[in-house]
Structures are given as structure tokens and as C-alpha cells.
Amino acid sequence: MRELFVHAGVVCVLLLGGFSSGWAYYNLDAALGTNTNEVSETDSSVPFVDLFHAALPFEDARPWLTKGEVQYDADGWPVDLRGGQAGTRFLANLPANTVPDGAYTVLFEGDGDMTYANDAKLITHAQGKDTIQIGAGADAMLNATLLITRTNPQNPLRNIRILPPGGICEDDPFKRVTGEGDCAAGSYRAFSEYYAKILFNPDYLHFMKDFKVIRFMNMGGITQNPLQTWEQRPRLTQATWGGKEGQRGAPLEIMVELANRLNAHPWLVIPHAADDDFVTQYARYVRQHLNPDLKPHLEYSNETWNTLFLQGNYVREQGVQRGLDSNADRAGYRYYSERSVEIFKLWENVFGGKQRLVRILSGWTINPDLTQLILTHRDAYRHADAFAIGPYFFGGHEEIRRVKTVDDVFQLLTDPQYRYSLRKVLDYISEQKALADKYKVALIAYEGGQGLVDFKTSDNNAHPNPLLYAANRDSRMAALYGEFLTGWKTAGGQLFMHYSSPRTYQKYGTWGTKEYITQATEDAPKYQAILAFMRTNPCWWAGCSTDTFMSYTDFWKR
């Protein structure tokens, strides 16, 4: 195992030796995985103890919080305000209790002045340390901002860390406690002191611990990201890992560390424009730092068949340049297949073979012709282990806009006349399974679940959004999830990656397994169904179950 040691804004990776039975793992027989969320101040999963890791970059907060000709260092810290100001949001539109109310510790370096606003109020100020009170107001939502009003260019404010009250007991990283009285003598570890070693929010670890595989597409910031070279990758030293689509993303070191601590296989997604050196360096880091019993699940980009994404247009351009097909769409599909195999081979060179890798080609659930093309282009199926689809049931895009009641929503989900009804989607899965069998690859899901969203609405409360939220909170959704996952298993599907980890319901969709990380299980029907399915349907395919048991000997002694 490895410890990520965070101090003064710098994260170093230190090897930890030995193993013990101190920290149990819960996912050994799990048949499901989960997708992560984007690193953002709006992410109600709140993966990190230090809230500033997901804060909005100062420049992205313009013109509301950041103003003037602010100058930054290479990591995004404002080094000269030049008469302006630099601000950020570190909590935004999160339900009350997503993080605990109380006194938070703000650590920082440098000389300057900061103010806090919205649901964050200054309590005490000292050199290098503020104490602030955070608590949801009458709107039962959490919003918090920080504003740098003065910074000394010779010693600028930097390395800001925002740390919650409480901590953990050293033998249980999955449980937040309020103080020493909750732990055995000498085993309490306060967030404000041990944040560097704790790193991850224990509420987040508690949720993630049950899943076999963690897909890091969102956390890695893959969608719309033009990243090409290793030098451009997200860095541990950056002021924040949040930001706009195409720019945000947690460093690889963080994703590997999370996989290690959860004993979960990492599903890693390579940026669409990454060059061979990037791919090779990426593979080397994973081989050197991922627990040896864990298998990297490897995928090239995300939904490259979808031209709404930058990566969808990129593969078409590359396919046309290579002369892979007279049709631009097919040229793009062929390029995706071809580049995937090139990436697999680069990883095999680093890992000394394919034994420890799960090589994944992906396609579109409703398009078996696309599956056939991707698998057969230059015999790509011979170099892959699995084909992944994203099965969502939601009835139909146009039909969603016509529902008038929650009952109508469930009618839409279950009536087989609709193209994306549950029954029809299970039929698509069976079609895809037949192709996977033909080419001797496993059928898995890179995403999936309910897909109730109206992409044309511009307001969270516009019709039909409130009805879609209510349907996701209805106990009938749990029953449909049970039917859907059972149908997936019956059809012969293997690993299923639900989309997604806890996130709030809004106009962009109701994807979250829960609405926020600390939401009670009894209030989250989808989560209830997922847990119940995993309990009653342990691994059913060869190689799924593992007796791996890793832990953190000497974790607190280093």
C-alpha cells in the first residue's frame, strides 16, 4: 500500500510496507462497480477531506468573485492581485448535512487577507490558521466562498486547506467521529492534523467500499479534455483539481491511491488525444504503484461514437486522416478500435504481458452494427478482454416531456412500446451478449441504470424535472433496479458499473445512487436496490471473486 502525504500544498508518494488485518474490505464478492463524479465544488460525493481540493479555480470564478488583472503562479495560486481580488467557491448547492456543520480549520501559508461568505463565517484568525463556522442556512443548502483581498507578492497567500471538524479512529477509515472519546485510547486522528494521511472523506470511503471496480472517467476529467502530453496531466501541486469541463481532473496518483485503499480495481480512461509517451508513462506509474493484486481496467476515451463530445469529433478526424473508411463516422469508429489496440499494446509492454490487464472496447447499447465494426476492425477482438456498453432505461427522450404524473413516469419506464423501456433495453443487452460471445469477449457495462433526464430544460424546476426527481425517490424505482440488474445477469452480462456515485438531482439528470454522500439509505431507493442485489448476487463469472485482503500496517507510524 502507499501513503499520499500532503503538506504545504505538495503531495508525495511514500511506500508503506507489510500487511495486516486491521482494515477489512467489503467488496471481495461484489459484482457491481460505480462511476466517480467530476471534481467540483458542487459534487455531493465530497471525496476529499480537504475541501479546497475541489474548489473552483480562482480564475474560473471571474467575474463574480475574481476581478482585475490577477497574476498566478504555475499552480494557480494568485501571486499578485494588482489592485483586484481573487475568489473561489469551495461548497456550492449542496444539501444540508452533505458535510457536517461546525468549526472548520483553514490552514494557509503566506502574507495576506482572506474573507469568507455565504454559509462560511470567520470565528478566529491567527498566522497561518483561521477557524470558520460552516452550517446550512434557512434554504437548507450549503454554499461557501473564500475571497483573497490582499496578498504580498513577495510572500503570497497559498497552500490553502479547508478541514472539517472531527476525525477518524486509526483502525476504521470508513467512519467519521467527533473526537477522542469515540476512539480507543491514543487512536484518534483529527482531520485538522492528519489530513495528509487520511486524504479521503470517510463518508466517501464508506460508500465506495462495497464496489468491486471504480471507474475514474469523471474524476480524471476525461470528457472534452484535449490533454496530449504527460507534462500536461493534472498535478498534485495544483491549487485545486476542480474547474471547467475539459480542464478539471484529479491526478493519477490520487486515483491509484483511492483504488489501493478500497482494494478496488481501477477502471482507467485514457484521454482521446494522449500521445504514446503519455500512455507509456501512465502505465508505468500504475504498474509501480497499484497494489499488485489489483487489475487495471483499461479503456480509451469515453463514448467516442457520440459527436456531442470533443473526443467523438477527434476520432473522426483521425480516422479520415488515416484513410480508414470513406465514411467519416465509420472512419472514426475504426480509429477508436485501432487506437484502443495500440494503447493496449503499450500497456502490455510495460506490464510484461496482458495477464494483469482488463482491456476494454466500448460501444453504443442500441447499435450492434457498431459493436461488430469495432470488434472486427483489424481483428481488434483478439486484443481485448471485454466489450462495454452503457445500458440506460428511460422510455424515450420525447416521451419524457409528455409525462404529467409520477405514475406516468413509471408507465414510461415499463411499457415495452417505448424504445428505451426496461424490457427493450434488456433485449438490446441480449443482442450485445450474442456478439460478445461470437467474438469471445465478456459483456460488461461502463455505465448504466435509470436515465431519466430532459436535456432541453434550462431550469432545475422546469417540467418535467420535479416528476423525474420524485420518481427516483419512489420505492418503485428500487423494484425496477432489482428487475433490471437481474435481467442483466440473466442475459449473461458480467461487471456492471452503475452511473453514478452520489450526486444531486438537477436538470442535467438524476444519476446519483444517492443525492448526497451522507443521505440515509432508507431515503435512497436505488442505493437500497444496489446493495440488495450485491448481497444476493455475489460474483457469478470466473475470476470475479477474490480472496485479496490488503491493509495499512504501520500507516500511522510513518
Side-chain angles (χ1 to χ4, degrees):
M1 296 298 291
R2 287 153 183 88
E3 167 204 340
L4 281 179
F5 181 68
V6 189
H7 179 67
V10 179
V11 187
C12 302
V13 180
L14 303 176
L15 180 65
L16 292 176
F19 307 101
S20 77
S21 59
W23 290 3
Y25 287 97
Y26 302 85
N27 58 3
L28 301 184
D29 294 318
L32 301 184
T34 188
N35 277 262
T36 53
N37 293 334
E38 301 83 355
V39 181
S40 168
E41 77 280 15
T42 65
D43 178 17
S44 62
S45 284
V46 196
F48 308 116
V49 165
D50 178 1
L51 298 182
F52 207 85
H53 281 319
L56 187 68
F58 291 101
E59 190 59 23
D60 287 3
R62 183 183 297 278
W64 303 279
L65 298 173
T66 296
K67 301 176 182 179
E69 301 297 322
V70 179
Q71 292 184 339
Y72 302 92
D73 67 11
D75 290 322
W77 295 108
V79 294
D80 192 343
L81 299 180
R82 303 183 68 184
Q85 62 184 35
T88 180
R89 294 193 308 260
F90 58 92
L91 294 173
N93 302 317
L94 300 180
N97 302 315
T98 300
V99 296
D101 291 354
Y104 283 64
T105 300
V106 181
L107 303 178
F108 55 90
E109 297 176 20
D111 174 34
D113 297 321
M114 290 189 294
T115 62
Y116 307 89
N118 300 105
D119 295 318
K121 313 297 181 187
L122 180 66
I123 301 174
T124 64
H125 169 72
Q127 181 60 42
K129 179 180 178 181
D130 285 348
T131 303
I132 61 175
Q133 181 71 27
I134 293 179
D139 61 356
M141 298 295 288
L142 284 163
N143 292 279
T145 57
L146 177 155
L147 191 68
I148 297 177
T149 57
R150 182 184 69 85
T151 195
N152 181 349
Q154 280 69 53
N155 185 23
L157 283 176
R158 62 197 183 278
N159 299 334
I160 299 170
R161 288 141 284 162
I162 303 176
L163 309 166
I168 64 172
C169 305
E170 66 173 7
D171 61 348
D172 189 354
F174 306 123
K175 183 179 179 181
R176 180 190 298 271
V177 298
T178 58
E180 291 188 42
D182 297 318
C183 302
S187 68
Y188 176 63
R189 299 294 181 260
F191 295 132
S192 60
E193 184 178 357
Y194 290 91
Y195 64 89
K197 290 188 177 183
I198 297 172
L199 186 56
F200 298 107
N201 177 1
D203 300 322
Y204 185 73
L205 292 182
H206 177 76
F207 172 83
M208 301 293 277
K209 67 179 173 30
D210 295 307
F211 295 101
K212 170 71 71 179
V213 179
I214 308 299
R215 186 169 181 252
F216 287 103
M217 184 269 293
N218 280 331
M219 184 179 281
I222 296 302
T223 299
Q224 313 280 35
N225 196 327
L227 189 63
Q228 290 182 289
T229 69
W230 186 241
E231 291 71 26
Q232 296 169 335
R233 73 190 187 281
R235 303 183 310 279
L236 292 164
T237 56
Q238 286 174 234
T240 171
W241 304 324
K244 300 175 182 176
E245 187 177 58
Q247 298 176 12
R248 62 193 169 213
L252 174 60
E253 294 91 334
I254 298 298
M255 298 186 289
V256 168
E257 180 68 9
L258 180 59
N260 283 341
R261 295 199 189 187
L262 292 168
N263 195 48
H265 304 297
W267 185 315
L268 301 167
V269 184
I270 301 298
H272 64 268
D275 62 21
D276 285 356
D277 177 68
F278 179 101
V279 175
T280 300
Q281 297 276 16
Y282 200 108
R284 285 174 181 165
Y285 183 88
V286 174
R287 183 174 183 269
Q288 291 167 5
H289 296 92
L290 184 68
N291 286 345
D293 292 294
L294 297 177
K295 286 189 172 184
H297 289 48
L298 183 61
E299 180 185 19
Y300 169 51
S301 194
N302 174 63
E303 293 190 355
T304 57
W305 47 265
N306 189 344
T307 53
L308 292 176
F309 296 140
L310 179 64
Q311 58 263 31
N313 294 287
Y314 175 86
V315 297
R316 279 151 186 75
E317 293 167 2
Q318 296 300 310
V320 169
Q321 287 182 20
R322 288 192 182 189
L324 298 182
D325 201 293
S326 58
N327 176 276
D329 286 341
R330 289 197 304 269
Y333 305 151
R334 293 183 187 279
Y335 176 80
Y336 163 76
S337 176
E338 197 168 289
R339 182 59 179 158
S340 293
V341 172
E342 291 171 359
I343 288 170
F344 298 158
K345 290 180 178 179
L346 290 169
W347 278 64
E348 289 167 23
N349 288 339
V350 171
F351 275 75
K354 63 184 181 180
Q355 293 79 10
R356 198 183 157 196
L357 303 174
V358 179
R359 302 162 300 171
I360 301 166
L361 293 168
S362 298
W364 190 4
T365 305
I366 65 169
N367 192 336
D369 291 341
L370 173 60
T371 302
Q372 176 91 11
L373 189 155
I374 288 172
L375 286 172
T376 59
H377 177 70
R378 298 190 176 177
D379 289 341
Y381 69 92
R382 296 183 183 275
H383 306 280
D385 304 297
F387 192 82
I389 58 175
Y392 287 103
F393 61 96
F394 55 89
H397 294 294
E398 295 299 324
E399 292 83 357
I400 281 177
R401 301 184 186 107
R402 296 198 291 266
V403 297
K404 292 182 172 62
T405 67
V406 175
D407 288 344
D408 289 347
V409 176
F410 282 98
Q411 173 68 18
L412 179 63
L413 292 174
T414 55
D415 191 329
Q417 72 173 299
Y418 300 119
R419 188 183 189 192
Y420 293 98
S421 65
L422 191 150
R423 182 67 263 168
K424 282 286 183 64
V425 172
L426 291 177
D427 289 342
Y428 302 143
I429 291 169
S430 295
E431 272 190 284
Q432 294 283 359
K433 180 60 168 63
L435 282 170
D437 287 348
K438 179 179 178 180
Y439 294 103
K440 295 180 173 59
V441 293
L443 181 68
I444 63 178
Y446 65 88
E447 293 175 13
Q450 66 76 40
L452 292 171
V453 59
D454 179 4
F455 290 111
K456 292 189 176 180
T457 59
S458 58
D459 184 88
N460 286 340
N461 294 317
H463 177 81
N465 292 334
L467 296 176
L468 307 185
Y469 308 156
N472 272 270
R473 295 165 181 154
D474 193 294
S475 61
R476 286 174 287 182
M477 186 60 75
L480 288 187
Y481 258 60
E483 182 180 348
F484 179 62
L485 292 171
T486 299
W488 167 262
K489 176 183 177 181
T490 301
Q494 296 185 12
L495 175 68
F496 188 97
M497 304 294 293
H498 183 260
Y499 194 88
S500 69
S501 300
R503 65 167 70 200
T504 55
Y505 296 164
Q506 49 189 301
K507 63 184 178 182
Y508 305 111
T510 51
W511 311 112
T513 307
K514 300 199 291 184
E515 295 179 64
Y516 56 98
I517 195 67
T518 57
Q519 185 180 31
T521 301
E522 56 265 28
D523 295 330
K526 291 181 289 190
Y527 188 46
Q528 294 173 36
I530 285 170
L531 291 179
F533 181 81
M534 288 196 290
R535 282 195 304 269
T536 56
N537 295 272
C539 289
W540 60 80
W541 63 91
C544 173
S545 185
T546 173
D547 59 0
T548 301
F549 192 89
M550 311 283 277
S551 195
Y552 296 95
T553 296
D554 297 329
F555 187 80
W556 300 108
K557 297 178 182 177
R558 300 252 173 171

